[in-house]
Amino acid sequence: MTKVLITDPIDQTGIDILSQVAQVDQKIGISDSELASIIKDYDALMIRSGTQVTEEIINSSSKLRIIGRAGVGVDNVDVKAATQKGVLVVNSPGGNTIAAAEHTIAMMLALSRHIPVANSSTLLGKWERKKFVGNELYKKKLGVVGLGKIGAHVAKVANALGMEVCGYDPFVSTERAQQIQVKLSDLEDLFQQSDYVTLHLPRTPETENLVNMEVLKSMKSSAKLINCARGGLIDEEALAEALNKSLIGAAAIDVFSKEPLESNSPLLKVEKNLILTPHLGASTREAQENVAVDVAEQIRDVLLGLSARTAVNIPGLSPDIMDSLKPHLQLAETMGLLISQLSGGQIQKLEVKLQGEFVQHPSQPLIIASLKGFLSKALGDRINYVNASLEADSRGISVIESKDEARPEFASGSLQLSTYGDNGDHSVAGSIFADGELRIISIDQYPVNVSPSRYMLVTRHRDMPGIIGKLGSLLGSNNVNIASMQVGRKIVRGEAVMVLSIDDPIPNKLLDTIIKVEGITNANPVTL
């Protein structure tokens, strides 16, 4: 009989769903060694945040088909090991949307009306009405950083409260922003002009310590900061200093860089204007039931031979198809990541054009791989082959597929990605050479022939004497080594594209200097 193991507390509704198709065993709080010893008997494992599903546990399984995490994050699951073992990993990214959004609003109100300290004062028998004069949310400016499901719902509620809502999300189109009644803003202006700022981002290398002392100093002295998203988005030491020095008005934090919050945290030494809660964003009865039902239904469906809705690793592709498409998927993902860094701004449309041999392959995996690469810079590990299309749709990015069966320039055909957005249109084309070598063959319609590398610099410039020498000298004087260089042009002394493969990332100060070189109109550092 099919068997499901549950090792963390799960709402009964989820257990009832699983019981319809399998024998359900609950072993709450078992040790890692015990789990490793019994997992071989189970077809599915359902967990929350308490169980660590390690590579050893996954490799100890023999029948395991799916791991279900009743919640959003899968930090406690070795997804790579699960993928290599052929085990599907699913989560519930939307089950706590309302709970997290409402906790954000609750934090804003608690800050505005001094509710925690007023409560403590009154319980002590005091009556300090004048001391706790607050402010209204009505007509205040709210900056929402990250306009996914939770950020969009916060914006919706804030609009209903009469707030003026601006938002930042590089992958939300202008049309989508208009739908949710958010005025798009660049990040610097958002922090400088908002009365309230709320964060709704994943934690990635790019977003870690996004709010640092420099950002805090740029905010209004009366501004209030809320983080109910992920720990690590705020430099906690800088925040503590900013609050103690009254650089900002107040903050409310639900998530921390290390959890549980450590006793030596600088936040615990802040004397006023700070509310801390122990990661309560998803802690409602409704949210716990929602995530249990969502994940239990997906486990049930997979055990019945159906597909899962929100897998976080690659589902539904047989090893044969994966092997045959591996270089094509790698090219599509690489090009998506490349064009996302060249485009910038809000993108309304992504076109995926297949030519030659590429037309003969299934197009949907190539489109999904392109979207995964395109969104991965902003969303990090959250983005995968299953949710890439959903994430693009939620950000108002339409995807267009086109095919050209005419005789291609390259024997293996080509894949071209084009973006259309607020910062203009961009395109990247690539092909696969002998032995599966990936090549970028054009950028913005300028012909090049470049093997993708970890660090690259792409410039637009006038084709004129001295440009290459000046750029080379600048990089050399800053100890940035050039591995290769390609220039693509359409006419002599016209506009051109230069692509440099470099051994080191470009420092921000150096990039500012490069852009000021006469003849260079744009410079984009790229990390692949």
Side-chain angles (χ1 to χ4, degrees), residues 69 71 112 232 236 363 389 463 470 486-487:
R69 160 71 161 98
S112 300
E236 293 172 2
S363 59
S389 295
D463 181 28
K470 289 178 182 178
Q486 275 270 319
V487 174

Side-chain angles (χ1 to χ4, degrees), residues 26-38:
Q26 299 183 67
K27 297 183 181 295
I28 309 302
I30 63 171
S31 65
D32 291 352
S33 58
E34 185 180 357
L35 179 55
S37 68
I38 66 172

Side-chain angles (χ1 to χ4, degrees), residues 2 24 26 60 100 114 130 150 155 164 168 230 275 324 365 383 423 439 459 503 516:
T2 303
V24 180
Q26 299 183 67
S60 298
H114 309 293
K130 292 183 179 180
I150 296 173
E164 178 188 344
Y168 170 80
R230 282 287 182 267
I275 297 174
S324 65
I383 198 71
N423 286 353
R439 292 289 182 90
T459 70
D503 295 337
K516 293 175 183 177

Side-chain angles (χ1 to χ4, degrees), residues 356-375:
E357 179 195 313
F358 279 75
V359 176
Q360 310 305 319
H361 295 295
S363 59
Q364 194 59 25
L366 297 174
I367 293 172
I368 292 173
S370 301
L371 285 172
K372 180 179 183 294
F374 183 76
L375 295 169

Side-chain angles (χ1 to χ4, degrees), residues 94 105 117 130 137 180 187 189 209 267 270 273 292 297 311 374 383 416 433 494 498:
I105 298 296
V117 289
K130 292 183 179 180
L137 299 184
I180 59 176
L187 199 56
D189 285 345
N209 287 336
L267 295 177
V270 176
N273 298 329
E297 287 179 343
F374 183 76
I383 198 71
Q416 178 175 301
F433 283 25
M498 190 188 315

Side-chain angles (χ1 to χ4, degrees), residues 46-87:
M46 188 170 181
I47 62 170
R48 288 181 61 192
S49 59
T51 301
Q52 297 293 320
V53 187
T54 63
E55 181 179 6
E56 179 186 359
I57 290 170
I58 291 168
N59 289 336
S60 298
S61 67
S62 56
K63 299 166 56 181
L64 194 64
R65 295 162 60 187
I66 181 171
I67 300 168
R69 160 71 161 98
V72 179
V74 288
D75 298 343
N76 55 326
V77 179
D78 191 325
V79 177
K80 181 178 179 181
T83 302
Q84 291 173 341
K85 187 78 173 178
V87 178

